[in-house]
Amino acid sequence: MRGIEQKLTNNQLAKVILHLFKRRGFQSNRQTDKTGDVGKLLQALKANTEYIQAHGYRTIGEALYRDQRYHAENCGRTIYNIRNHTGDYHNCFQREELLSELQMILQQQQTLGNSGVTADFVTQVCSLFCEQRTFDEGPSQPSPYHQDQFPVGQCTFIPKEKRAPKASYTFELFRAWDKITKLRINDQLLTIEQQRQIANYALPKEKVTFAQIRKLLGVAAD
């Protein structure tokens, strides 16, 4: 809100830009399916747009800061309840709306005399805000997760297409942690420290048995 009313320092403006980049809002070309969670999401997006317009808020940030709709009580304190929870899309916003907010803040800072916010700077920041790599491209180089780091062969059924990697480090790491977090001792989930202990022991190994895990944690066999 201060970004459209007061001149910010460069450090403050950088924080604003970073915050918006980290939460760029919803954007999808697949909005035809309006059932289930997709339907709930689209309804929430529409409801938030209409609510903010009806109440005269200039930006999403101003609405989040001022309106009780986006607040909650916790231990007698008012908190900004701006994160979604499972099955709840109460705080979802369109990316184009957040882009408009970013443009408004930058243009206001330019008007208020920030010499670093030039027309070219506004154009570059907003252009970068809108960029999105396709899922099949994955991260760009030199990221260790770039697709070129995981060479794959041709699909058996569609020879002109590449198949998915048979194995990759990120997938194996995900599967390992998925199994570790589901382990129980006498119907009790493991502590974070126990999970980390197993992970540090298991990840460098090709194979780990339950007997080894029990020994590691000092748990007697049934």
Side-chain angles (χ1 to χ4, degrees), residues 208-222:
V208 177
T209 65
F210 285 113
Q212 291 173 318
I213 293 176
R214 285 196 295 268
K215 182 178 179 180
L216 178 69
L217 299 180
V219 177
D222 295 336

Side-chain angles (χ1 to χ4, degrees), residues 24 130-141 146-147:
R24 294 192 298 163
C130 296
E131 285 190 7
Q132 178 172 312
R133 296 179 64 84
T134 61
F135 289 106
D136 58 337
E137 286 180 308
S140 59
Q141 290 181 320
H146 185 264
Q147 60 181 355

Side-chain angles (χ1 to χ4, degrees), residues 81-108:
N81 186 30
I82 60 175
R83 294 191 181 277
N84 293 305
H85 304 283
T86 304
D88 177 18
Y89 302 99
H90 183 73
N91 297 314
C92 283
F93 303 95
Q94 295 277 9
R95 181 170 301 176
E96 62 187 28
E97 296 169 344
L98 288 163
L99 173 61
S100 296
E101 179 167 345
L102 176 62
Q103 290 171 327
M104 181 185 297
I105 291 171
L106 293 175
Q107 289 166 358
Q108 280 294 100

Side-chain angles (χ1 to χ4, degrees), residues 3-210:
I4 56 176
E5 295 178 348
Q6 304 173 24
K7 180 181 176 181
L8 303 178
T9 67
N10 287 338
N11 284 342
Q12 290 172 332
L13 182 57
K15 289 179 181 179
V16 170
I17 294 172
L18 179 61
H19 178 79
L20 287 169
F21 267 66
K22 289 172 66 177
R23 297 167 179 83
R24 294 192 298 163
F26 177 81
Q27 174 177 285
S28 175
N29 294 324
R30 300 179 60 186
Q31 298 188 20
T32 55
D33 181 6
K34 298 184 179 181
T35 61
D37 282 349
V38 175
K40 293 179 183 178
L41 170 60
L42 296 178
Q43 289 174 8
L45 291 167
K46 181 180 179 181
N48 275 323
T49 297
E50 293 175 347
Y51 186 88
I52 290 173
Q53 291 176 350
H55 288 76
Y57 293 117
R58 295 166 293 179
T59 65
I60 292 171
E62 183 177 22
L64 294 176
Y65 180 72
R66 290 186 179 277
D67 203 288
Q68 292 296 319
R69 175 184 173 91
Y70 304 106
H71 297 173
E73 291 293 325
N74 184 19
C75 299
R77 296 185 303 113
T78 298
I79 61 173
Y80 299 105
N81 186 30
I82 60 175
R83 294 191 181 277
N84 293 305
H85 304 283
T86 304
D88 177 18
Y89 302 99
H90 183 73
N91 297 314
C92 283
F93 303 95
Q94 295 277 9
R95 181 170 301 176
E96 62 187 28
E97 296 169 344
L98 288 163
L99 173 61
S100 296
E101 179 167 345
L102 176 62
Q103 290 171 327
M104 181 185 297
I105 291 171
L106 293 175
Q107 289 166 358
Q108 280 294 100
Q109 290 302 303
Q110 190 177 22
T111 301
L112 291 168
N114 189 323
S115 59
V117 185
T118 63
D120 185 57
F121 178 81
V122 174
T123 299
Q124 290 188 45
V125 171
C126 292
S127 176
L128 186 59
F129 182 87
C130 296
E131 285 190 7
Q132 178 172 312
R133 296 179 64 84
T134 61
F135 289 106
D136 58 337
E137 286 180 308
S140 59
Q141 290 181 320
S143 167
Y145 307 114
H146 185 264
Q147 60 181 355
D148 289 347
Q149 303 297 321
F150 305 103
V152 297
Q154 301 300 123
C155 176
T156 303
F157 303 102
I158 310 177
K160 294 183 179 180
E161 299 287 341
K162 296 285 186 180
R163 62 172 174 80
K166 188 174 183 180
S168 68
Y169 174 76
T170 50
F171 178 72
E172 295 295 333
L173 183 62
F174 168 80
R175 286 297 303 273
W177 274 106
D178 181 58
K179 291 181 179 295
I180 290 170
T181 54
K182 291 178 180 177
L183 290 175
R184 294 172 180 265
I185 299 176
N186 297 327
D187 291 329
Q188 294 293 320
L189 291 171
L190 303 183
T191 65
I192 296 296
E193 184 56 39
Q194 288 173 322
Q195 293 176 8
R196 289 173 177 167
Q197 190 177 357
I198 295 172
N200 291 335
Y201 175 80
L203 291 178
K205 299 182 180 298
E206 183 176 343
K207 183 179 180 181
V208 177
T209 65
F210 285 113

